[in-house]
Amino acid sequence: LAVPLVRVRRAGAVREISALLLVPGDVALVEAGNFISADGRVVESAGLQVQESALTGESEPILKVAEDEVFRGTFVTAGRGEAVVTATGMRTELGRIATMIQKVKTTVTPLQKRLDHLARRLAAAALALVGVIFLLGLWRGDELRLLFLTAVSIGVAAVPEGLPAVVTIALALGAQRMLRRKVLIRKLSAVETLGSVSVICTDKTGTLTENRMTVEVLQAPDGGAEFGVMLAGAALCSDVAGAVGDPTEIAMVAAAEKAGFLKAELDRAMPRVAEVGFSSERKRMTTVHRKPVEAGVLIAAAGGAEYLVCTKGAVDGLLGLSVAVWVGGKAEPMSGEWRDRLAKQNAALAARGMRVLAVAFRGVDSLEAMDEFEQGLTFAGMVGIADPLRAEAAGAMDKCRAAGIRPVMITGDHPLTAASIGAQLGLDTRRVVTGAELEKMSVAELEGIVGTVQVYARVSPEHKLKIVTALQARGAVVAMTGDGVNDAPALRKADIGVAMGKSGTDVAKEAADMVLLDDSFASIVAAVGEGRAIYDNIRKFIRYILATNSGEIWVMVIAPFLGMPLPLLPLQILWMNLVTDGLPALALGVEPAEADTMQRAPVDAAESVFARGLGRHVIWVGLLMTLLSLGVGYWYFRAGDPKWQTLLFTTMTFAQMAHIMAIRSERRWLFEVGLFSNLPLLGAVALTVGLQFALVYVPFLQGIFKTRALGFGEVGLAVGLSLVLFFAVEAEKKLRG
Ligand code: ATP
């Protein structure tokens, strides 16, 4: 799923194939944001710039012209080009040094780090405890061999050896569940960080909208119905091959074709001789074409000149570059009046939530002064492009708000377009901040507003980085989406970098922590829900295992003071740790998300494992378990009943099962959650109880575990006592409110 797709020309048609299927001789089409997936020789270059730091360490992009070599592992930062594949796989330059590159990096999540720390401390405490018990036993004159075994068993009881494994399994299962929700996790740590996300910054196009663009309005400067030059210019100034390309351009080319201007014919009549590709920073694109020999609308536009320059892009930008307006088949000087009129047309379309693009042109005689092409243009008109909101977007926004997460929309489009779309999604559009405003703000000013502003417009990728940085400075945990090459720094900086699976560039995906396979905002929200559920489950597991272990330790430590011999045999303790700690605890990892997972505020990323009453819970539940099991054991012991140890052991095991059933939900009681809503857990508990009965009644096992058959009333007693624990834990939820 993480292998990039490559556009190749095969049998005369352009197709997208997996990079794995490239073969020498393929002609690959690359553009800004693509990874180079094989070594090759450039055959065509339109300002093709490649960043080769993976091989050379040099981060400055290098201009590649025809006959230059390009290498696998590098990526295109600007321009467009074609290259013939010369080597693939291990035969590439990168393949040769693969051993140096493919260093295995394991990521340890913050939680895993915290748990490692916890485990080390527990181990130290256990060691100390074991020493004390050992010495106590010596002093009482216990048998050395038994004493040694006991000390070791307590050590085993104290260390939650399953913890790291279960945490990793929970994270990995979570990543798998997310994949079903169209979210590909690239870094395991993202699963858990997701649970703490407090702000989601999202692009508009494609994430909140469908990226299914259609030209809805054609707007000639004079309001008339003459669009020939504009449409033909737009078709020429687009990189659409068949149905492959940028949706904005596909829409414009389709509109042109509907009016009879076929792109293929135009391209043939007026071959492209130079170009400056689209970038989110400039928000426009320019191509230069040779003048046609036959008559056509564009002959008039080019006038007497040799070449025709076509520019399309954001209206505000193009207005500033235009000195004339194309009306009634000729150029009129751009007066202040025209300027106002065009700006109003732009605003009117943008206010309807449309993306507005203008087309402008000029004739030039030589290709020398390329830098000056985008000046002195003639404004040909504009189009309003509609892009429907995704059906699930508004619902996902509501979910976000309910979950205490602030959604923020960041778009390259016009502020009015942004405001219109934002309002439809229920975002606060009272203040829309533009990239230009953002640039003028000081860091402090920016930090002052990021807490409330929900819509940013006319933003360039570098502004995204500023926004993330400011949000993080205010303590937010930020998820940020991106698709372009230049979004990579912001994606890296964000706590969760989110790349688009369909429209995203390889570079953005590489920088991201997760990839949205369906590009949808709703999937981010779903992933946050999963992340929260996983963190909850890990906490439940810790809650269960630490309470259980502390109960066992207390029993071992207190019993000698009551004048009792070893209350639990080493084998019995090992049994509890392997069977009762193992399977049921693993099954907690698949506990379904609680109903209110997305109705509460995100957890603080810095909070301790023991936060929110977990530490207290572990202590009192451990003590209650001790009181119940040691209590009943002591009572039978005092009465001289030889079954005292079996009863103590069985009560302990049952109490642990009662505990795990009670902590399935942190807030609701078991029968609200549904007894059967986690069948693996129910199965594990049933199996454990069954095995415990086998230990108590099967003669062979009785011999190994030194147990005696319990009477009906005694089993009832063990069950009853564990129910006491069950209801006590349930009552704790009510008391906590
Ligand atoms: P969003 O954040 O909503 O996903 P974006 O930041 O990706 O949007 P861009 O694609 O950078 O937005 O577009 C910004 C502006 O650039 C648009 O409003 C439009 O005016 C202009 N534009 C977009 N695509 C093209 C294109 N192919 N050619 C020329 N100009 C374009």
Side-chain angles (χ1 to χ4, degrees), residues 204-205 246 249 278 280 312-314 355 410-413 458:
K204 171 178 71 67
T205 311
D246 173 0
E249 298 191 346
F278 170 75
S280 292
K312 73 176 194 322
R355 163 172 282 196
I410 303 181
T411 173
D413 277 332
R458 280 288 184 251

Side-chain angles (χ1 to χ4, degrees), residues 664-726:
R664 282 188 46 203
S665 167
E666 276 200 34
R667 268 163 286 272
R668 292 177 315 148
W669 91 295
L670 178 62
F671 293 94
E672 259 174 279
V673 183
L675 188 57
F676 301 103
S677 55
N678 183 347
L679 288 178
L681 179 60
L682 201 60
V685 168
L687 184 72
T688 306
V689 170
L691 287 171
Q692 183 70 24
F693 279 124
L695 252 56
V696 173
Y697 294 107
V698 176
F700 169 68
L701 292 172
Q702 280 178 339
I704 296 176
F705 285 89
K706 304 280 181 296
T707 53
R708 288 159 190 269
L710 294 176
F712 190 73
E714 284 145 358
V715 171
L717 195 58
V719 171
L721 288 172
S722 51
L723 283 179
V724 170
L725 187 100
F726 175 81

Side-chain angles (χ1 to χ4, degrees), residues 192-324:
E192 138 206 355
T193 316
L194 267 172
S196 320
V197 164
S198 60
V199 176
I200 303 180
C201 296
T202 174
D203 285 338
K204 171 178 71 67
T205 311
T207 317
L208 295 170
T209 68
E210 290 186 3
N211 211 0
R212 222 165 17 86
M213 311 251 180
T214 25
V215 173
E216 293 223 322
V217 179
L218 298 174
Q219 178 80 56
D222 61 356
E226 178 48 51
F227 311 112
V229 171
M230 171 175 80
L231 288 173
L236 279 173
C237 185
S238 291
D239 289 317
V240 175
V244 184
D246 173 0
T248 302
E249 298 191 346
I250 292 177
M252 295 181 86
V253 169
E257 309 231 315
K258 219 158 119 192
F261 299 100
L262 302 183
K263 177 163 171 61
E265 273 176 22
L266 285 165
D267 281 344
R268 219 171 306 124
M270 307 184 67
R272 195 186 281 190
V273 290
E275 69 187 70
V276 188
F278 170 75
S279 77
S280 292
E281 284 86 1
R282 293 175 0 107
K283 301 188 173 43
R284 63 174 177 269
M285 146 170 195
T286 294
T287 54
V288 186
H289 304 264
R290 194 165 292 136
K291 199 172 80 169
V293 256
E294 292 161 42
V297 281
L298 293 171
I299 291 246
E306 278 305 303
Y307 302 100
L308 180 72
V309 175
C310 295
T311 300
K312 73 176 194 322
V315 178
D316 13 353
L318 257 56
L319 266 181
L321 302 169
S322 299
V323 296

Side-chain angles (χ1 to χ4, degrees), residues 171 247 271 363 420 735:
L171 293 177
S420 160
L735 287 180

Side-chain angles (χ1 to χ4, degrees), residues 521-731:
F521 175 73
S523 300
I524 311 179
V525 182
V528 169
E530 289 286 353
R532 288 188 178 188
I534 289 162
Y535 184 69
D536 280 356
N537 285 350
I538 290 174
R539 264 175 57 97
K540 283 172 201 166
F541 175 71
I542 294 172
R543 183 187 291 271
Y544 168 66
I545 212 139
L546 291 188
T548 298
N549 287 12
S550 77
E552 290 164 16
I553 294 169
W554 282 125
V555 167
M556 297 299 284
V557 174
I558 294 175
F561 292 103
L562 298 176
M564 294 166 79
L566 260 191
L568 289 167
L569 298 177
L571 204 58
Q572 293 170 345
I573 293 182
L574 285 173
W575 160 261
M576 284 195 281
N577 275 312
L578 290 180
V579 180
T580 61
D581 280 7
L583 274 186
L586 262 181
L588 263 189
V590 296
E591 180 67 31
E594 296 206 29
D596 67 345
T597 310
M598 289 300 271
Q599 264 115 51
R600 55 187 147 100
V603 293
D604 184 354
E607 96 170 12
S608 137
V609 184
F610 294 110
R612 285 179 284 142
L614 197 147
R616 205 176 345 109
H617 177 95
V618 164
I619 291 172
W620 81 254
V621 172
L623 285 174
L624 181 60
M625 246 181 222
T626 308
L627 183 72
L628 295 172
S629 57
L630 190 61
V632 70
Y634 184 61
W635 179 36
Y636 267 58
F637 173 72
R638 284 293 298 274
D641 191 321
K643 293 195 293 282
W644 69 270
Q645 191 176 50
T646 307
L647 187 57
L648 192 163
F649 174 37
T650 306
T651 306
M652 191 84 181
T653 304
F654 286 1
Q656 291 175 2
M657 295 305 104
H659 184 220
I660 204 167
M661 293 306 285
I663 58 166
R664 282 188 46 203
S665 167
E666 276 200 34
R667 268 163 286 272
R668 292 177 315 148
W669 91 295
L670 178 62
F671 293 94
E672 259 174 279
V673 183
L675 188 57
F676 301 103
S677 55
N678 183 347
L679 288 178
L681 179 60
L682 201 60
V685 168
L687 184 72
T688 306
V689 170
L691 287 171
Q692 183 70 24
F693 279 124
L695 252 56
V696 173
Y697 294 107
V698 176
F700 169 68
L701 292 172
Q702 280 178 339
I704 296 176
F705 285 89
K706 304 280 181 296
T707 53
R708 288 159 190 269
L710 294 176
F712 190 73
E714 284 145 358
V715 171
L717 195 58
V719 171
L721 288 172
S722 51
L723 283 179
V724 170
L725 187 100
F726 175 81
F727 286 109
V729 174
E730 290 291 6

